[in-house]
Amino acid sequence: MLIRIPRDWEISESQATPEHVYLNRRQLLRAAGFLGVERLVAASAGPYPAKRNSEFTLDRPVTEEWAATGFNNFYEFDPADKRAVKDKVGSFVVTPWKIEVTGLVNKPRTLDLDGLLRTMPFEERLYRHRCVEAWSMAVPWTGFPFSELIKAVEPRPEAKYVRFVTVNRPKEMPGMVGAPWYPWPYFEALRMDEAMNALTMMVTGLYGKPLPKQNGAPVRIVTPWKYGYKSIKAIVRIEFVSKQPATFWNKLQPAEYGFYSNINPGKPHPRWSQAFEKVIPKMERRPTLLSNGYEKYVAGLYNGKEF
Ligand code: MTE
């Protein structure tokens, strides 16, 4: 997953060489420090690790990497078992990757992810992340302010919302085939001022490396003051529109999942309380903070009635 060059090299070698010889050779190469070469190539393939933005601090330790990358909601791969997602992403192809940016903008374009990786102002931010199901984590994302992309395409005044769509690849995503009743592909949206907010990040990395597939590779949105289902993964289309768009979970169960989905301890989900969060992996209970602790960034956006 890390990079293309060593993977091609491994494939050609394993095809050309009997397996026991190949395995021995790999062990030798590893012992000789060749994995160091792999890491060097990886570093030149993206902005990792990016400089950490010290403005964003945590009130808790960073979640261990194995936990954040081993407990995932990514229904396209497995809608039922969060621990199984990481084992079902193997066939998902994330390079090359293009994102179509379209709708009410002066400069619609198809972006190549490699181009974004070369040109955008990447940084690392420590953010809390809270799922509507109440589990939570705190992780270092690598990304850039989504407002940078918005400015580059010059939205017209009529553009009031931004709509996002996930890639639609049932052949690579076994959960889509196993659960055909969902309205695939996954879709989400933000109001324009939310999309422009300083917290809203377009993310391509986690723990100083490219995003693992199970965490939304190769590119996702992160909005830490909202429940996690707003942070759509594996994005291929961004559309600027005038009317509030439908969103995946709101369409399925409008009484349970609102458009705004701002984290609020005082507003229970119809089937469970949101007063506490459970921090993975030990599921320690902590009181939920209003807007997940990001109130100073987002208080001005709302009048208290948004659900
Ligand atoms: N994006 C897509 N395309 N499909 C999904 O099922 N799940 C959402 C969100 N983005 C989801 C998605 C939910 S419910 C959460 S909590 C977060 O991704 C989980 O992100 P993580 O696996 O990196 O913790």
Side-chain angles (χ1 to χ4, degrees):
M1 206 279 300
L2 256 180
I3 31 165
R4 241 176 301 159
I5 298 163
R7 196 171 56 200
D8 292 344
W9 165 79
E10 283 168 21
I11 288 166
S12 57
E13 188 186 24
S14 63
Q15 281 161 351
T17 316
E19 195 185 8
H20 65 280
V21 179
Y22 159 65
L23 287 177
N24 285 341
R25 194 177 295 169
R26 266 196 67 79
Q27 280 151 10
L28 278 173
L29 288 174
R30 188 175 276 131
F34 266 68
L35 290 185
V37 176
E38 288 187 20
R39 270 197 295 275
L40 269 181
V41 179
S44 65
Y48 314 105
K51 192 172 183 304
R52 184 171 290 178
N53 183 336
S54 58
E55 180 179 343
F56 300 98
T57 53
L58 294 174
D59 54 353
R60 61 196 72 183
V62 171
T63 303
E64 290 149 282
E65 185 174 349
W66 65 265
T69 59
F71 189 82
N72 303 98
N73 271 336
F74 203 162
Y75 276 46
E76 287 88 333
F77 293 97
D78 191 319
D81 185 353
K82 294 182 220 315
R83 291 181 177 83
V85 173
K86 66 175 186 312
D87 302 320
K88 296 188 175 179
V89 295
S91 304
F92 184 35
V93 179
V94 296
T95 42
W97 194 269
K98 294 199 185 313
I99 307 166
E100 189 190 359
V101 188
T102 180
L104 302 169
V105 292
N106 291 332
K107 296 187 172 166
R109 57 183 74 171
T110 299
L111 298 166
D112 187 68
L113 187 63
D114 283 344
L116 286 181
L117 291 171
R118 277 194 305 272
T119 54
M120 284 297 178
F122 278 85
E123 60 184 40
E124 183 174 78
R125 293 188 187 179
L126 299 174
Y127 273 174
R128 293 178 288 277
H129 173 96
R130 161 70 188 268
C131 180
V132 73
E133 298 160 338
W135 61 266
S136 69
M137 61 183 187
V139 295
W141 301 112
T142 308
F144 59 88
F146 184 59
S147 59
E148 295 290 331
L149 190 150
I150 297 183
K151 285 185 234 156
V153 296
E154 297 180 9
R156 298 199 207 126
E158 316 90 85
K160 304 286 187 221
Y161 295 86
V162 190
R163 178 174 184 264
F164 305 89
V165 185
T166 292
V167 74
N168 187 10
R169 298 224 198 111
K171 288 199 179 112
E172 299 171 21
M173 300 172 132
M176 294 179 74
V177 182
W181 54 87
Y182 286 110
W184 309 115
Y186 197 96
F187 49 101
E188 254 302 335
L190 296 170
R191 206 169 64 190
M192 193 63 134
D193 55 353
E194 299 178 318
M196 286 292 293
N197 189 271
L199 291 174
T200 304
M201 265 185 118
M202 187 142 227
V203 161
T204 63
L206 186 59
Y207 295 97
K209 294 173 279 191
L211 265 182
K213 293 179 189 176
Q214 61 270 28
N215 291 94
V219 59
R220 71 182 292 177
I221 283 290
V222 167
T223 48
W225 75 101
K226 292 176 177 289
Y227 292 117
Y229 59 91
K230 298 295 289 184
S231 60
I232 178 170
K233 298 174 167 182
I235 296 166
V236 288
R237 188 176 162 90
I238 300 174
E239 203 180 334
F240 290 76
V241 297
S242 59
K243 301 240 157 57
Q244 182 178 305
T247 56
F248 186 88
W249 283 106
N250 183 251
K251 184 170 175 172
L252 281 162
Q253 276 155 311
E256 301 196 351
Y257 308 103
F259 175 83
Y260 289 97
S261 315
N262 296 325
I263 296 169
N264 185 345
K267 177 146 192 28
H269 183 278
R271 289 183 282 133
W272 59 84
S273 164
Q274 293 290 21
F276 288 86
E277 59 184 285
K278 294 178 281 181
V279 184
I280 66 165
K282 293 189 181 144
M283 299 300 181
E284 289 144 357
R285 260 163 68 99
R286 290 183 73 110
T288 301
L289 303 172
L290 184 62
S291 303
N292 208 18
Y294 295 104
E295 190 59 6
K296 76 169 181 184
Y297 293 94
V298 298
L301 297 180
Y302 305 113
N303 62 20
K305 297 202 178 78
E306 291 83 1
F307 157 58

